[in-house]
Amino acid sequence: MPVTRRTTRKTLQRSLRKTVASLCSAAIAIPLVITPAHSQGGRVPIVRDAETEALLKDYAKPIFKVAGIGQSEPEIILVNNKSFNAFVPDSRRMFINIGVLMDAETPNEVIGVIAHETGHIAGRHLVRLRAAASNAQIIAVIGMLLGAGAAAAGAAAGSGRAASGGAAAALSAPEVGKRSLLAYQRGEEAAADRAALRYLNATGQSARGMLKTFQRMSEQQLFSSQFADPYAQSHPMAQERYSGLLREAQKSKYFDQPDDYVLQYRHEQVRAKLFAFSSHPSATLRAYPRSNKSPAAQYARAIAAMKSRGKGAVKEIDALIRTQPNNPHYYELKGQAFMEGGDPRSAIAPFRKALSFKPNEPQFLVWLGYALVGANNPAYLPEAERVLKRAIALDENSGVAYSQLAIAHGRQGERAEADLATAKGLMVRGDFGAAKRYAARAQKSLKRGSPAWVQADDIVAYKPPDVGNRR
């Protein structure tokens, strides 16, 4: 088949679209380290924990304020991944792997990560990065079309040399565009590093933790750096970043500032908690043996006991509560132990106790609603409905709250309301097809024009964005 300009252009443009789509996908989520924590096109596994989320908010609040984004604070979302990684997909969300908290020995290390990612948000790097990706696309288009023209001309003239040269130009054009984009990303990473130093200095905090992060990255790259092409990386090589930051960080009068001891205590508690929940109980007992009498070690062992579902789990948690009778998260753990043990009725009291300390914590409300529904007592259902609706009002992205609310409605004979709650929960999980089916069924029994009917209609009419065409 003879090579023509039209067929070659179509083939190359199809290839180009795939290349640019890949580049843009990588650009939208800027990771702190080179390997992205998210799988392209897949869902990010989210962890919900009130204690950890509260700690991250306290870490981030002063950073967000000095960065000028305190009025519209991004939501910090915890990812169930043990690698040391964080990224921002847009100006509204910051994803942090549990591995960041588990590996970091001090709060300052995590705060350094947050400061870096905040630099991307405050610097509007994501918006500019999409523009840079567009420019890279233009470079690639011009090069590929010129190459396609040369290939077509060479084929028509019977010139093997011209055809070969045209093909080489066509193949090299995406690489030129890609390297242009990666060079831009490296510049933005350096800008985020500098911004992070400013934020830490402005909040009276040391940059030692941030430097330790880059030192860790540098050690990881030690054996592979001799083979790495620095121009094919989206981030500067770790050793370069460490050396440059060290010189600047040492100029700050806060360089030797220690971590706040209260934050350090909370940090160690959360580290132990995340380790215990994400590890086998035997691994937890090896990491936190009974010879370790620290509060964090006692916390980890209590969680391991709960996960083992042994008879002594509640006793171990009660011993933990005696050390801190005003800690709401210990009561949350006790309630969870009863739930795991198949006794939701007994879980109600500890969840109520947790709420007495933090009445507006949506996750405590969800737990209480879950226990009230699970107790299988019709007298509890009206309260369960109220509690779960309040939880959703505070956190509309809780799939568990919607599913339990649907059960509460269903057991009270409210079929349409149950279907609508199910539809909302499915929307949160991203199952739009099933959500539309439940919403359509709910609409049939709801009064036309009522708030519930309108909500169902919104779900039926919803059109998910075309991810393939998004830039």
Side-chain angles (χ1 to χ4, degrees), residues 99-344:
V100 172
L101 288 152
M102 291 170 66
D103 288 353
E105 296 178 355
T106 65
N108 193 244
E109 292 174 55
V110 182
I111 293 168
V113 171
I114 292 172
H116 172 90
E117 298 302 331
T118 302
H120 284 305
I121 295 172
R124 304 186 76 245
H125 293 173
L126 298 167
V127 174
R128 296 209 299 267
L129 196 53
R130 290 186 180 95
S134 179
N135 289 337
Q137 178 181 6
I138 292 169
I139 292 170
V141 167
I142 293 172
M144 292 181 79
L145 293 183
L146 286 174
S159 169
R161 181 179 299 175
S164 174
L171 290 172
S172 64
E175 186 64 22
V176 171
K178 179 180 178 181
R179 287 189 174 228
S180 172
L181 177 59
L182 292 175
Y184 178 84
Q185 281 188 263
R186 290 193 297 273
E188 296 291 42
E189 288 300 319
D193 290 343
R194 292 192 297 272
L197 287 179
R198 291 197 305 273
Y199 304 151
L200 291 169
N201 195 55
T203 53
Q205 300 182 86
S206 173
R208 281 188 182 274
M210 186 174 170
L211 289 167
K212 189 170 183 179
T213 294
F214 289 125
Q215 193 171 29
R216 180 190 292 111
M217 292 164 59
S218 180
E219 291 169 356
Q220 290 172 351
Q221 290 181 354
L222 181 63
F223 297 105
S224 60
S225 61
Q226 59 180 314
F227 305 110
D229 179 357
Y231 297 103
Q233 307 292 332
S234 64
H235 290 53
M237 300 300 281
Q239 185 57 46
E240 291 179 31
R241 296 174 81 177
Y242 178 80
S243 300
L245 286 172
L246 178 61
R247 288 190 296 272
E248 290 300 313
Q250 287 176 332
K251 297 176 184 178
S252 172
K253 64 180 180 180
Y254 302 110
F255 186 67
D256 293 320
Q257 180 76 16
D259 282 279
D260 179 271
Y261 73 94
V262 174
L263 287 183
Q264 182 68 51
Y265 175 86
R266 292 172 62 193
H267 181 78
E268 289 168 3
Q269 291 284 99
V270 162
R271 282 185 80 196
K273 182 179 194 175
L274 292 174
F275 185 92
F277 268 112
S278 62
S279 306
H280 191 276
S282 60
T284 300
L285 293 177
R286 286 194 299 271
Y288 295 94
R290 297 204 175 272
S291 57
N292 186 340
K293 304 298 184 182
S294 69
Q298 293 178 61
Y299 199 9
R301 291 194 295 269
I303 294 168
M306 186 269 293
K307 289 184 66 179
S308 298
R309 299 186 183 183
K311 293 182 179 179
V314 172
K315 287 185 178 180
E316 186 135 13
I317 297 169
D318 280 337
L320 188 67
I321 289 173
R322 285 193 292 274
T323 66
Q324 288 186 45
N326 295 328
N327 189 327
H329 305 291
Y330 289 174
Y331 293 101
E332 179 192 24
L333 181 63
K334 183 176 180 178
Q336 187 174 354
F338 280 124
M339 294 291 287
E340 295 284 346
D343 187 5

Side-chain angles (χ1 to χ4, degrees), residues 59-115:
Y59 285 164
K61 198 170 189 66
I63 298 294
F64 290 163
K65 184 177 180 180
V66 298
I69 58 173
Q71 298 301 316
S72 56
E73 293 183 3
E75 180 185 8
I76 299 180
I77 299 169
L78 201 59
V79 180
N80 189 17
N81 190 309
K82 290 186 178 182
S83 65
F84 196 102
N85 200 8
F87 59 92
V88 287
D90 49 49
S91 62
R92 297 174 292 102
R93 294 170 297 169
M94 181 183 296
F95 290 84
I96 297 180
N97 285 7
I98 62 171
V100 172
L101 288 152
M102 291 170 66
D103 288 353
E105 296 178 355
T106 65
N108 193 244
E109 292 174 55
V110 182
I111 293 168
V113 171
I114 292 172

Side-chain angles (χ1 to χ4, degrees), residues 7-81:
T7 57
T8 306
R9 182 179 296 176
K10 284 184 176 180
T11 301
L12 291 172
Q13 285 178 334
R14 279 197 297 270
S15 174
L16 174 64
R17 280 195 293 272
K18 291 180 181 178
T19 301
V20 173
S22 176
L23 281 169
C24 288
S25 296
I28 288 170
I30 304 177
L32 179 66
V33 295
I34 293 172
T35 305
H38 65 299
S39 58
Q40 193 171 322
R43 295 180 183 176
V44 177
I46 302 301
V47 173
R48 297 304 310 272
D49 178 65
E51 185 176 15
T52 307
E53 290 174 7
L55 179 63
L56 288 172
K57 285 180 182 178
D58 288 344
Y59 285 164
K61 198 170 189 66
I63 298 294
F64 290 163
K65 184 177 180 180
V66 298
I69 58 173
Q71 298 301 316
S72 56
E73 293 183 3
E75 180 185 8
I76 299 180
I77 299 169
L78 201 59
V79 180
N80 189 17
N81 190 309

